[in-house]
């Protein structure tokens, strides 16, 4: 299957983009493996004719918004995201109406319709930069992740209004779990994704061995810091690349079931079928696409 996928990729001038949360065999096959920001950048710059996006639906949709003249294919078009599902375009429009002076900053984990009502997009890699770039006296409506929003408020000293959404995987990463690991492994740093519910806890935020990062930031820290052990408080797929980059280090998952089942819907079989049939194209209606592109381009230019 791997040989066939590679041959088809060449024959059709296709590129395979994969998120760190996909299955290890998909990560190993990807031309580019990245977090949400890295993958958006790749979609914007690739010269391939076909982008096969191994991730969840909003990610393929974002690629299609950025690169409308490319064919964007999803091996698992039904793969959703609890966070993206927690906000609708209509809901956001009403929120905006209730706060007419507010600027809307939306996490990239949103549908194209929500992006169409958004002023600035961000990912977990650049959220602090995006919010810090906005005038200090303007009101900000941040959505849909309440935990990431609370963490940005803490880090920037802002008081953004927060949408009440969450990622069903990271919302299970509690302060108690993190504290237990800090106690159990006194020599380890705990690297935490800010979508986690513990990102709201002042005690964890103040702990000198607890660090909050995007997926790419977690990887950077684990390579840069000369410790032997790290506790990883994010989706378990990340461990594959962490171990590859630092085989001499030990990575301890925060819990055995921190798994995004939607991301695992992309399998080798489905990837091969997608390249063979070119089914699963993800397209956004042109009027929505043009509006959704504006906040993404603002983010990219920052
Ligand atoms: P990043 O890719 O920005 O780290 O976000 C994590 C995530 O949950 C993606 O769905
Ligand atoms: Fe969505 Fe959470 Fe899965 Fe990321 S890990 S795709 S935010 S449900």
């Amino acid at each position: 299957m791997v040989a066939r996928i590679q041959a088809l990729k060449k024959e059709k001038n296709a590129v395979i983009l994969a998120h760190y949360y996909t299955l290890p065999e998909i990560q190993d096959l990807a031309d580019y493996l990245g977090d949400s920001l890295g993958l958006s950048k790749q979609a914007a710059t690739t010269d391939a004719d076909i982008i096969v996006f191994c991730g969840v639906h909003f990610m393929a949709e974002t690629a299609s918004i950025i690169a409308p003249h490319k064919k964007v294919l999803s091996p698992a078009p039904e793969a959703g995201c609890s966070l993206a599902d927690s906000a609708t375009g209509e809901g956001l429009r009403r929120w905006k109406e209730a706060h007419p002076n507010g600027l809307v900053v939306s996490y990239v984990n949103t549908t194209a319709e929500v992006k169409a009502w958004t002023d600035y997009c961000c990912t977990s890699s650049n959220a602090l930069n995006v919010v810090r770039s906005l005038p200090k006296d303007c009101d900000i409506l941040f959505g849909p992740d309440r935990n990431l929003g609370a963490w940005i408020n803490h880090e920037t000293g802002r008081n953004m209004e927060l949408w009440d959404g969450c990622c069903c995987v990271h919302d299970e990463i509690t302060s108690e779990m993190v504290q237990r690991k800090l106690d159990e492994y006194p020599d380890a740093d705990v690297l935490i994704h800010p979508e986690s519910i513990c990102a709201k806890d002042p005690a964890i935020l103040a702990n000198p061995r607890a660090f909050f990062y995007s997926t790419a930031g977690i990887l950077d820290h684990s390579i840069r810091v000369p410790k032997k052990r790290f506790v990883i408080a994010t989706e378990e797929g990340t461990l594959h690349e962490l171990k590859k980059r630092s085989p001499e280090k030990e990575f301890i998952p925060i819990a055995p079931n921190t798994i995004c089942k939607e991301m695992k819907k992309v399998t080798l079989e489905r990837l091969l079928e997608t390249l063979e049939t070119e089914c699963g194209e993800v397209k956004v209606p042109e009027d929505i696409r043009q509006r959704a592109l504006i906040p993404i381009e603002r983010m990219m230019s920052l």
Side-chain angles (χ1 to χ4, degrees):
M1 270 193 288
V2 170
R4 183 89 188 107
I5 287 167
Q6 272 159 351
L8 279 167
K9 208 179 66 177
K10 226 183 227 167
E11 189 186 304
K12 300 193 176 197
N13 190 26
V15 68
I16 298 177
L17 307 186
H19 192 273
Y20 290 118
Y21 297 173
T22 53
L23 292 166
E25 58 269 33
I26 301 293
Q27 296 188 36
D28 290 344
L29 251 178
D31 297 296
Y32 182 81
L33 177 67
D35 69 353
S36 304
L37 180 62
L39 293 168
S40 301
K41 284 185 184 162
Q42 285 297 315
T45 53
T46 179
D47 53 13
D49 297 315
I50 297 177
I51 297 173
V52 184
F53 209 114
C54 301
V56 293
H57 189 263
F58 80 81
M59 295 182 166
E61 211 179 46
T62 306
S64 178
I65 293 167
I66 296 172
H69 304 302
K70 313 241 175 241
K71 199 177 222 183
V72 178
L73 303 177
S74 170
E78 81 290 3
C81 165
S82 63
L83 188 50
D85 288 347
S86 69
T88 61
E90 180 53 21
L92 203 70
R93 190 184 66 72
R94 274 190 266 115
W95 201 31
K96 246 180 131 153
E97 260 173 26
H99 302 271
N101 297 323
L103 277 178
V104 174
V105 178
S106 292
Y107 198 31
V108 76
N109 297 39
T110 46
T111 61
E113 281 210 22
V114 165
K115 289 186 178 80
W117 288 102
T118 292
D119 296 302
Y120 287 84
C121 262
C122 72
T123 75
S124 53
S125 280
N126 61 18
L128 296 179
N129 286 344
V130 169
V131 169
R132 283 185 180 130
S133 75
L134 301 177
K136 288 214 164 41
D137 56 352
C138 80
D139 294 336
I140 302 177
L141 310 180
F142 182 87
D145 193 303
R146 59 183 180 231
N147 301 334
L148 177 70
W151 176 73
I152 298 169
N153 274 343
H154 174 268
E155 295 295 306
T156 61
R158 307 267 327 205
N159 188 22
M160 306 185 298
E161 290 279 330
L162 305 181
W163 188 270
D164 193 16
C166 68
C167 157
C168 59
V169 180
H170 289 94
D171 203 49
E172 299 284 306
I173 302 178
T174 63
S175 308
E176 294 70 30
M177 286 159 75
V178 171
Q179 193 55 57
R180 224 174 295 133
K181 291 290 192 224
L182 283 164
D183 296 342
E184 199 179 337
Y185 299 103
D187 58 334
D189 285 348
V190 183
L191 310 182
I192 309 165
H193 198 286
E195 285 172 23
S196 308
I197 194 165
C198 63
K200 293 201 277 205
D201 183 339
I204 301 295
L205 288 163
N207 191 298
R209 285 194 293 119
F211 297 87
F212 289 84
Y213 294 117
S214 69
T215 318
I218 290 175
L219 270 156
D220 285 351
H221 182 108
S222 71
I223 294 165
R224 188 171 27 88
V225 173
K227 289 200 172 185
K228 291 227 154 37
R229 260 183 181 167
F230 299 89
V231 175
I232 303 302
T234 189
E235 210 279 344
E236 62 100 48
T238 310
L239 290 154
H240 184 62
E241 186 65 11
L242 283 161
K243 286 177 191 161
K244 261 170 109 171
R245 299 250 201 124
S246 306
E248 75 289 2
K249 297 184 181 179
E250 189 187 354
F251 297 101
I252 299 141
I254 188 77
N257 54 354
T258 310
I259 294 172
C260 178
K261 293 197 180 85
E262 298 300 306
M263 286 280 190
K264 315 299 182 203
K265 287 182 175 170
V266 180
T267 58
L268 276 185
E269 286 85 351
R270 295 186 81 179
L271 176 53
L272 175 56
E273 194 187 339
T274 301
L275 276 163
E276 278 170 346
T277 62
E278 297 184 29
C279 286
E281 183 167 4
V282 177
K283 270 254 167 244
V284 177
E286 187 53 21
D287 55 331
I288 294 181
R289 190 196 72 79
Q290 284 186 16
R291 288 171 50 208
L293 182 62
I294 297 168
I296 297 174
E297 284 188 335
R298 285 185 183 141
M299 166 181 89
M300 297 290 208
S301 71
L302 283 168

